[in-house]
Amino acid sequence: MAKVNRQFRLTARPVGEIKESDFSYKEEEIPTIGDGEMFVRNLYLSLDPTNRLWMSDQDQYMPPVELGAVMRGIAIAVVEESKSPQYKKGDFIWGLLGWQDYALLTGDDFQNVIPLDSSVLPDNKLTLYLGPMGMTGWTAYLGLLNIGKPQPGETVFVSGAAGSVGSMVGQIAKIKGCRVVGTAGSESKCLWLKEELGFDEAINYKNYKPGLELEEAIAKVCPNGIDVYFDNVGGSILDAVLTQVNLHARIPLCGLMSIYNAKGPVPGPYNYSQIMMKRVQVQGFIISDYFMQWSEAMTAIAQWIKEGKIKYSEETVDGLENAPKALIQLFKGTSKGKVFVKISEEP
Amino acid sequence: MAKVNRQFRLTARPVGEIKESDFSYKEEEIPTIGDGEMFVRNLYLSLDPTNRLWMSDQDQYMPPVELGAVMRGIAIAVVEESKSPQYKKGDFIWGLLGWQDYALLTGDDFQNVIPLDSSVLPDNKLTLYLGPMGMTGWTAYLGLLNIGKPQPGETVFVSGAAGSVGSMVGQIAKIKGCRVVGTAGSESKCLWLKEELGFDEAINYKNYKPGLELEEAIAKVCPNGIDVYFDNVGGSILDAVLTQVNLHARIPLCGLMSIYNAKGPVPGPYNYSQIMMKRVQVQGFIISDYFMQWSEAMTAIAQWIKEGKIKYSEETVDGLENAPKALIQLFKGTSKGKVFVKISEEP
């Protein structure tokens, strides 16, 4: 087999914002596969804020990507050749397959992939497995319901609301009978949240100074306070939300995108004491904490998409060669819903 | 009735540390009581870090004490005269009775007192109802067990460990089969924790610079990490603990004594992101959240004291006139266990 495998490897740990030079491009020949091994072709590569964490060497929920290693990434792939009893040529899989055209799976690699069942797939779109039916959808569903425990009539607030996770959180909270308010970084995103996704209110946080101004803007659209805050960003929005939380509010802590690019230590919320005063629960989580409930999430979300209760937005970047640029762009906050790179054509 | 009621009223909201001039001394005549009312004589007045919060007008878990009002305080009292069907002369009660010799209870006041049952009292000491058998004991018991959920063999870390709540937390965690480590502000307190109360380790945090030095000191005595952090103080100890927490650690957030005297906004923990990375649960609580479990806590703690499994320390300040000074002293961190003011003799 003389195919060339294009790869991006991590060359430098980012300082502040990600730079293209943090990656290096390389071409490798694909080795032949041995017994129990499998060779897959990547179709779509997911871009996620957490990629920034993996590139750093800060204490995190997985080992950092080693310098010189292929950049870690979630992808959907098709099996091209298999000497594993578990998979056959033509099967679709999902997993940590890396920023590359092809992946050779050996030994423990199989623990990080799962087969995709196209029979449950609405709209016949494989890419749903990166968005609403994938890790971001499960994250929204399981974090919101297990930790947030939203009750009908409660106010659910979500930051990064136009993102892949946030947009799902808001729609699921609406299905559960809540008042839903989100923050996003542009007028067009806010319009999309309200007019397409059914959010009750959306705030363009860039219109308000952190502190009192932002607090007042939030108070205005949350007249009954905030019962659940699904936090994707941390920072000044978290601080403002803490001034508006109700007694016994729940904060599923999903992400801290506002500080991933920080160059040094970042102070935690100045209103941390409100966690005590209002007896708030903050619960950090990672989707893998809820492995056992994946199929529950999957079934529910598929059904909601089929019924038109959940809408989604996808942004496709064409070509693996554009992955570094696209990840940098993700942190500019200009995209709506799920962003992924198309690496090769579906069979 | 021409008795004189000595009182301390709140005159000024403290800026930074409490000053004696934040209180004003006043003498009042006691009014005669009407139907359904009750007149009690305060015996012991509890001093608690939370008094500092009540004096401020920051957003908190109860309304702040109004300027000019009698300072709020928990006390044990004996009924001197009763026209209420619930109580008779000679009964002992516990409640928010204020910084004064006598309290007249009318209407809603009765919601803030409970009768004391001396039949469950170990050592025949009424003052236990301010310490291990009182709010601080219940806070330790219910916060640790409901939120911390310590499992045998786990490491429980407690700050303010020589305080009235902290010293109970550590001993209850030992009873539950945990390794227990505490922080306190002097060598003699640390000795007391280890030699009298059975803590496995105790750290005098004043020996270490906040940051790396403190983190390393904690890491050394917590070789298996920290599973439960019972937080009474916040600040730099919280920050250091967050670098040592295990996956799925629990943080009952009971107090933030290190910042009550702050003059302006205080940054939250710089290591807040570890709450996400390690999927930590932070749960603020106030003892009144667990009203329904008071008798469970009371029964368990009384039994442990009788069996000698729980020890306690009391510091008595003599005379209501010394209450302001004693509260200021409480924040110097020189006392062990429960501090209270003796106002009058038991009958």
Side-chain angles (χ1 to χ4, degrees), chain B residues 273-292:
Chain B
S273 63
Q274 286 302 303
I275 297 171
M276 184 179 80
M277 303 305 177
K278 297 287 167 56
R279 291 92 105 184
V280 173
Q281 180 181 103
V282 180
Q283 171 76 64
F285 77 104
I286 301 284
I287 187 60
S288 52
D289 297 339
Y290 301 110
F291 253 116
M292 303 305 291

Side-chain angles (χ1 to χ4, degrees), chain A residues 3 14 52 65 109 115 185 199 223 277 296 323-324:
Chain A
K3 283 173 178 162
R52 173 66 179 79
V65 177
D109 295 342
F199 278 55
M277 304 303 177
E296 171 199 330

Side-chain angles (χ1 to χ4, degrees), chain B residues 182-246:
Chain B
T183 54
S186 75
E187 301 302 327
S188 79
K189 285 188 193 177
C190 288
L191 262 181
W192 178 62
L193 293 174
K194 286 198 282 187
E195 310 214 326
E196 298 287 319
L197 303 193
F199 278 54
D200 294 287
E201 295 285 351
I203 292 177
N204 178 357
Y205 68 88
K206 291 184 178 166
N207 287 345
Y208 306 96
K209 271 198 217 127
L212 200 58
E213 229 184 86
L214 184 57
E215 290 165 21
E216 284 172 352
I218 292 174
K220 202 173 151 193
V221 291
C222 298
N224 301 318
I226 293 168
D227 301 292
V228 178
Y229 172 44
F230 194 103
D231 194 0
N232 287 308
V233 304
S236 58
I237 295 177
L238 169 59
D239 241 323
V241 164
L242 284 172
T243 67
Q244 305 300 321
V245 286
N246 289 330

Side-chain angles (χ1 to χ4, degrees), chain A residues 53 58-62 231 234 238 242-243 247-249 251 253-256 259-260 265-286 288-289, chain B residues 53 58-62 231 234 238 242-243 247-249 251 253-256 259-260 265-286 288-289:
Chain A
L53 277 181
Q58 70 164 280
D59 202 2
Q60 55 191 283
Y61 61 93
M62 288 176 79
D231 194 0
L238 169 59
L242 283 173
T243 67
L247 208 58
H248 302 301
I251 302 187
L253 171 51
C254 177
L256 293 165
I259 64 167
Y260 292 163
V266 176
Y270 284 82
N271 295 316
Y272 185 84
S273 63
Q274 286 302 303
I275 297 171
M276 184 179 82
M277 304 303 177
K278 297 286 167 57
R279 290 92 104 183
V280 172
Q281 181 180 101
V282 179
Q283 172 75 64
F285 76 105
I286 300 284
S288 52
D289 297 339
Chain B
L53 278 181
Q58 70 164 280
D59 204 1
Q60 54 192 284
Y61 60 93
M62 289 176 79
D231 194 0
L238 169 59
L242 284 172
T243 67
L247 207 58
H248 303 301
I251 302 186
L253 171 50
C254 177
L256 293 164
I259 64 168
Y260 292 163
V266 176
Y270 285 81
N271 296 314
Y272 185 83
S273 63
Q274 286 302 303
I275 297 171
M276 184 179 80
M277 303 305 177
K278 297 287 167 56
R279 291 92 105 184
V280 173
Q281 180 181 103
V282 180
Q283 171 76 64
F285 77 104
I286 301 284
S288 52
D289 297 339

